[in-house]
Short mmCIF file of all heavy atoms in Angstrom, two decimals:
data_model
loop_
_atom_site.label_atom_id
_atom_site.label_comp_id
_atom_site.label_asym_id
_atom_site.label_seq_id
_atom_site.Cartn_x
_atom_site.Cartn_y
_atom_site.Cartn_z
N ARG A 1 -5.00 1.95 12.06
CA ARG A 1 -4.99 3.36 12.43
C ARG A 1 -5.57 4.21 11.29
O ARG A 1 -5.74 3.73 10.18
CB ARG A 1 -3.57 3.83 12.77
CG ARG A 1 -2.96 3.10 13.96
CD ARG A 1 -1.55 3.60 14.25
NE ARG A 1 -0.98 2.93 15.42
CZ ARG A 1 -1.12 3.35 16.66
NH1 ARG A 1 -1.84 4.44 16.91
NH2 ARG A 1 -0.57 2.69 17.65
N ASN A 2 -5.85 5.47 11.59
CA ASN A 2 -6.35 6.37 10.56
C ASN A 2 -5.32 6.51 9.45
O ASN A 2 -4.11 6.55 9.70
CB ASN A 2 -6.63 7.76 11.15
CG ASN A 2 -7.83 7.74 12.09
OD1 ASN A 2 -8.66 6.84 12.03
ND2 ASN A 2 -7.92 8.75 12.94
N ALA A 3 -5.81 6.62 8.21
CA ALA A 3 -4.91 6.72 7.07
C ALA A 3 -5.60 7.47 5.94
O ALA A 3 -6.82 7.61 5.90
CB ALA A 3 -4.49 5.32 6.59
N ASP A 4 -4.79 7.95 5.03
CA ASP A 4 -5.30 8.56 3.81
C ASP A 4 -6.10 7.51 3.03
O ASP A 4 -5.74 6.34 3.00
CB ASP A 4 -4.11 9.07 2.98
CG ASP A 4 -4.53 9.95 1.82
OD1 ASP A 4 -5.20 9.44 0.92
OD2 ASP A 4 -4.16 11.13 1.82
N VAL A 5 -7.17 7.95 2.37
CA VAL A 5 -8.02 7.02 1.64
C VAL A 5 -7.25 6.30 0.54
O VAL A 5 -7.57 5.17 0.16
CB VAL A 5 -9.25 7.76 1.06
CG1 VAL A 5 -8.84 8.75 -0.02
CG2 VAL A 5 -10.28 6.77 0.51
N ARG A 6 -6.19 6.94 0.03
CA ARG A 6 -5.40 6.30 -1.03
C ARG A 6 -4.68 5.05 -0.52
O ARG A 6 -4.27 4.20 -1.31
CB ARG A 6 -4.38 7.29 -1.59
CG ARG A 6 -4.99 8.43 -2.39
CD ARG A 6 -3.94 9.46 -2.76
NE ARG A 6 -3.47 10.17 -1.58
CZ ARG A 6 -2.47 11.08 -1.61
NH1 ARG A 6 -1.87 11.34 -2.76
NH2 ARG A 6 -2.10 11.71 -0.52
N ALA A 7 -4.52 4.96 0.80
CA ALA A 7 -3.88 3.78 1.37
C ALA A 7 -4.69 2.51 1.10
O ALA A 7 -4.15 1.40 1.17
CB ALA A 7 -3.70 3.95 2.88
N PHE A 8 -5.97 2.65 0.77
CA PHE A 8 -6.80 1.49 0.48
C PHE A 8 -7.30 1.47 -0.96
O PHE A 8 -7.49 0.41 -1.55
CB PHE A 8 -8.00 1.45 1.44
CG PHE A 8 -7.61 1.26 2.87
CD1 PHE A 8 -7.42 2.34 3.70
CD2 PHE A 8 -7.39 -0.01 3.38
CE1 PHE A 8 -7.03 2.17 5.02
CE2 PHE A 8 -7.01 -0.20 4.68
CZ PHE A 8 -6.82 0.90 5.52
N SER A 9 -7.53 2.65 -1.52
CA SER A 9 -8.12 2.71 -2.86
C SER A 9 -7.10 2.57 -3.99
O SER A 9 -7.48 2.24 -5.12
CB SER A 9 -8.90 4.02 -3.03
OG SER A 9 -8.02 5.14 -2.94
N GLU A 10 -5.81 2.82 -3.72
CA GLU A 10 -4.82 2.84 -4.79
C GLU A 10 -3.72 1.80 -4.57
O GLU A 10 -2.61 1.97 -5.06
CB GLU A 10 -4.22 4.24 -4.94
CG GLU A 10 -5.23 5.31 -5.31
CD GLU A 10 -4.60 6.67 -5.52
OE1 GLU A 10 -3.36 6.73 -5.62
OE2 GLU A 10 -5.33 7.67 -5.57
N ARG A 11 -4.02 0.74 -3.85
CA ARG A 11 -3.00 -0.29 -3.65
C ARG A 11 -3.47 -1.61 -4.26
O ARG A 11 -4.65 -1.83 -4.53
CB ARG A 11 -2.66 -0.46 -2.18
CG ARG A 11 -3.75 -0.98 -1.31
CD ARG A 11 -3.22 -1.37 0.06
NE ARG A 11 -2.72 -0.25 0.83
CZ ARG A 11 -1.44 -0.09 1.17
NH1 ARG A 11 -0.53 -0.97 0.78
NH2 ARG A 11 -1.05 0.93 1.90
N TRP A 12 -2.50 -2.53 -4.46
CA TRP A 12 -2.75 -3.82 -5.11
C TRP A 12 -3.61 -4.70 -4.20
O TRP A 12 -3.34 -4.85 -3.01
CB TRP A 12 -1.43 -4.50 -5.41
CG TRP A 12 -1.54 -5.70 -6.30
CD1 TRP A 12 -1.47 -5.73 -7.66
CD2 TRP A 12 -1.74 -7.05 -5.88
NE1 TRP A 12 -1.61 -7.00 -8.13
CE2 TRP A 12 -1.78 -7.85 -7.06
CE3 TRP A 12 -1.90 -7.67 -4.64
CZ2 TRP A 12 -1.95 -9.22 -7.02
CZ3 TRP A 12 -2.08 -9.04 -4.61
CH2 TRP A 12 -2.10 -9.80 -5.79
N LYS A 13 -4.66 -5.30 -4.78
CA LYS A 13 -5.53 -6.20 -4.02
C LYS A 13 -5.65 -7.58 -4.68
O LYS A 13 -5.78 -8.59 -4.00
CB LYS A 13 -6.93 -5.60 -3.87
CG LYS A 13 -6.98 -4.23 -3.19
CD LYS A 13 -8.41 -3.73 -3.07
CE LYS A 13 -8.47 -2.34 -2.48
NZ LYS A 13 -7.89 -1.32 -3.38
N GLN A 14 -5.64 -7.56 -6.03
CA GLN A 14 -5.80 -8.84 -6.74
C GLN A 14 -5.05 -8.78 -8.05
O GLN A 14 -4.68 -7.70 -8.53
CB GLN A 14 -7.29 -9.13 -6.99
CG GLN A 14 -7.98 -8.06 -7.81
CD GLN A 14 -9.48 -8.28 -7.89
OE1 GLN A 14 -10.02 -9.18 -7.29
NE2 GLN A 14 -10.15 -7.45 -8.68
N ALA A 15 -4.82 -9.96 -8.64
CA ALA A 15 -4.09 -10.04 -9.90
C ALA A 15 -4.77 -9.20 -10.97
O ALA A 15 -5.99 -9.22 -11.13
CB ALA A 15 -3.99 -11.49 -10.36
N GLY A 16 -3.94 -8.43 -11.68
CA GLY A 16 -4.45 -7.56 -12.74
C GLY A 16 -4.55 -6.11 -12.34
O GLY A 16 -4.73 -5.24 -13.21
N ASP A 17 -4.45 -5.79 -11.04
CA ASP A 17 -4.52 -4.40 -10.60
C ASP A 17 -3.27 -3.64 -11.03
O ASP A 17 -2.14 -4.05 -10.74
CB ASP A 17 -4.64 -4.34 -9.07
CG ASP A 17 -6.02 -4.74 -8.57
OD1 ASP A 17 -6.94 -4.81 -9.42
OD2 ASP A 17 -6.16 -4.98 -7.36
N VAL A 18 -3.46 -2.51 -11.71
CA VAL A 18 -2.37 -1.61 -12.09
C VAL A 18 -2.46 -0.41 -11.16
O VAL A 18 -3.27 0.50 -11.38
CB VAL A 18 -2.46 -1.19 -13.56
CG1 VAL A 18 -1.31 -0.26 -13.92
CG2 VAL A 18 -2.47 -2.41 -14.47
N VAL A 19 -1.67 -0.40 -10.10
CA VAL A 19 -1.79 0.59 -9.02
C VAL A 19 -0.39 1.06 -8.61
O VAL A 19 0.62 0.40 -8.89
CB VAL A 19 -2.52 -0.02 -7.82
CG1 VAL A 19 -3.99 -0.23 -8.12
CG2 VAL A 19 -1.87 -1.32 -7.39
N PRO A 20 -0.30 2.18 -7.90
CA PRO A 20 1.01 2.71 -7.50
C PRO A 20 1.52 2.17 -6.17
O PRO A 20 2.69 2.41 -5.83
CB PRO A 20 0.76 4.21 -7.41
CG PRO A 20 -0.69 4.34 -7.07
CD PRO A 20 -1.37 3.19 -7.73
N TYR A 21 0.68 1.45 -5.37
CA TYR A 21 1.11 1.05 -4.04
C TYR A 21 1.00 -0.45 -3.83
O TYR A 21 0.15 -1.12 -4.42
CB TYR A 21 0.29 1.78 -2.97
CG TYR A 21 0.41 3.28 -3.05
CD1 TYR A 21 -0.67 4.06 -3.43
CD2 TYR A 21 1.62 3.91 -2.77
CE1 TYR A 21 -0.57 5.43 -3.52
CE2 TYR A 21 1.74 5.28 -2.85
CZ TYR A 21 0.64 6.04 -3.23
OH TYR A 21 0.76 7.40 -3.32
N LEU A 22 1.85 -0.97 -2.92
CA LEU A 22 1.92 -2.40 -2.64
C LEU A 22 0.67 -2.91 -1.93
O LEU A 22 -0.12 -2.14 -1.36
CB LEU A 22 3.14 -2.69 -1.75
CG LEU A 22 4.53 -2.53 -2.37
CD1 LEU A 22 5.57 -2.58 -1.26
CD2 LEU A 22 4.78 -3.61 -3.40
N ASN A 23 0.53 -4.22 -1.93
CA ASN A 23 -0.48 -4.90 -1.14
C ASN A 23 -0.27 -4.55 0.33
O ASN A 23 0.85 -4.51 0.83
CB ASN A 23 -0.36 -6.42 -1.36
CG ASN A 23 -1.47 -7.19 -0.67
OD1 ASN A 23 -2.16 -6.67 0.21
ND2 ASN A 23 -1.64 -8.43 -1.07
N ILE A 24 -1.35 -4.30 1.04
CA ILE A 24 -1.23 -3.87 2.43
C ILE A 24 -0.56 -4.93 3.30
O ILE A 24 0.03 -4.61 4.34
CB ILE A 24 -2.62 -3.51 3.00
CG1 ILE A 24 -2.45 -2.63 4.23
CG2 ILE A 24 -3.44 -4.76 3.30
CD1 ILE A 24 -3.72 -1.98 4.68
N SER A 25 -0.60 -6.18 2.92
CA SER A 25 0.06 -7.23 3.70
C SER A 25 1.58 -7.13 3.61
O SER A 25 2.29 -7.74 4.40
CB SER A 25 -0.39 -8.61 3.20
OG SER A 25 0.02 -8.82 1.86
N LYS A 26 2.09 -6.36 2.65
CA LYS A 26 3.53 -6.23 2.48
C LYS A 26 4.09 -5.03 3.23
O LYS A 26 5.29 -4.75 3.15
CB LYS A 26 3.86 -6.07 0.99
CG LYS A 26 3.38 -7.23 0.11
CD LYS A 26 4.13 -8.50 0.39
CE LYS A 26 3.70 -9.62 -0.56
NZ LYS A 26 4.43 -10.87 -0.29
N THR A 27 3.22 -4.27 3.91
CA THR A 27 3.67 -3.03 4.55
C THR A 27 3.32 -3.04 6.02
O THR A 27 2.81 -4.01 6.56
CB THR A 27 2.99 -1.83 3.87
OG1 THR A 27 1.58 -1.91 4.10
CG2 THR A 27 3.25 -1.81 2.37
N GLY A 28 3.60 -1.90 6.67
CA GLY A 28 3.23 -1.74 8.07
C GLY A 28 4.35 -1.97 9.05
O GLY A 28 4.15 -1.81 10.25
N GLY A 29 5.55 -2.28 8.58
CA GLY A 29 6.68 -2.48 9.48
C GLY A 29 7.42 -1.19 9.79
O GLY A 29 7.00 -0.11 9.42
N GLN A 30 8.55 -1.32 10.46
CA GLN A 30 9.35 -0.17 10.83
C GLN A 30 10.56 0.02 9.92
O GLN A 30 11.43 0.84 10.21
CB GLN A 30 9.82 -0.32 12.29
CG GLN A 30 8.67 -0.37 13.29
CD GLN A 30 7.82 0.89 13.25
OE1 GLN A 30 8.36 1.99 13.25
NE2 GLN A 30 6.51 0.73 13.21
N THR A 31 10.64 -0.77 8.86
CA THR A 31 11.74 -0.61 7.90
C THR A 31 11.15 -0.25 6.54
O THR A 31 9.99 -0.53 6.24
CB THR A 31 12.55 -1.92 7.78
OG1 THR A 31 11.70 -2.98 7.35
CG2 THR A 31 13.17 -2.28 9.13
N TYR A 32 12.00 0.38 5.71
CA TYR A 32 11.54 0.89 4.43
C TYR A 32 12.48 0.44 3.32
O TYR A 32 13.66 0.14 3.55
CB TYR A 32 11.50 2.42 4.44
CG TYR A 32 10.67 2.99 5.56
CD1 TYR A 32 11.27 3.50 6.71
CD2 TYR A 32 9.29 3.04 5.47
CE1 TYR A 32 10.52 4.04 7.74
CE2 TYR A 32 8.52 3.59 6.49
CZ TYR A 32 9.14 4.08 7.63
OH TYR A 32 8.38 4.61 8.63
N THR A 33 11.92 0.38 2.12
CA THR A 33 12.72 0.18 0.92
C THR A 33 12.65 1.47 0.12
O THR A 33 11.56 1.99 -0.13
CB THR A 33 12.19 -0.99 0.07
OG1 THR A 33 10.82 -0.75 -0.26
CG2 THR A 33 12.31 -2.30 0.83
N TYR A 34 13.82 1.98 -0.27
CA TYR A 34 13.89 3.27 -0.93
C TYR A 34 13.97 3.07 -2.44
O TYR A 34 15.01 2.67 -2.97
CB TYR A 34 15.10 4.06 -0.45
CG TYR A 34 15.12 4.24 1.06
CD1 TYR A 34 16.12 3.66 1.84
CD2 TYR A 34 14.15 4.99 1.70
CE1 TYR A 34 16.15 3.82 3.21
CE2 TYR A 34 14.16 5.16 3.08
CZ TYR A 34 15.16 4.57 3.83
OH TYR A 34 15.18 4.73 5.18
N SER A 35 12.87 3.35 -3.12
CA SER A 35 12.85 3.24 -4.58
C SER A 35 12.43 4.57 -5.18
O SER A 35 11.88 5.44 -4.48
CB SER A 35 11.90 2.13 -5.04
OG SER A 35 10.55 2.55 -4.94
#
């Protein structure tokens, strides 16, 4: 679905990435973790 560009540009993709968001494979469900 449509998303903010940060949903792809600022998330973890490979080892060594220092980013604020999780790998996209870890998200997309209907439950959340509150940190």
Side-chain angles (χ1 to χ4, degrees):
R1 298 180 178 271
N2 290 340
D4 191 295
V5 67
R6 291 173 292 176
F8 296 93
S9 63
E10 298 183 14
R11 65 169 65 246
W12 191 91
K13 302 181 184 67
Q14 59 187 4
D17 286 346
V18 180
V19 289
Y21 300 112
L22 291 168
N23 186 343
I24 200 168
S25 64
K26 301 292 183 181
T27 64
Q30 298 300 313
T31 60
Y32 305 101
T33 57
Y34 304 115
S35 76

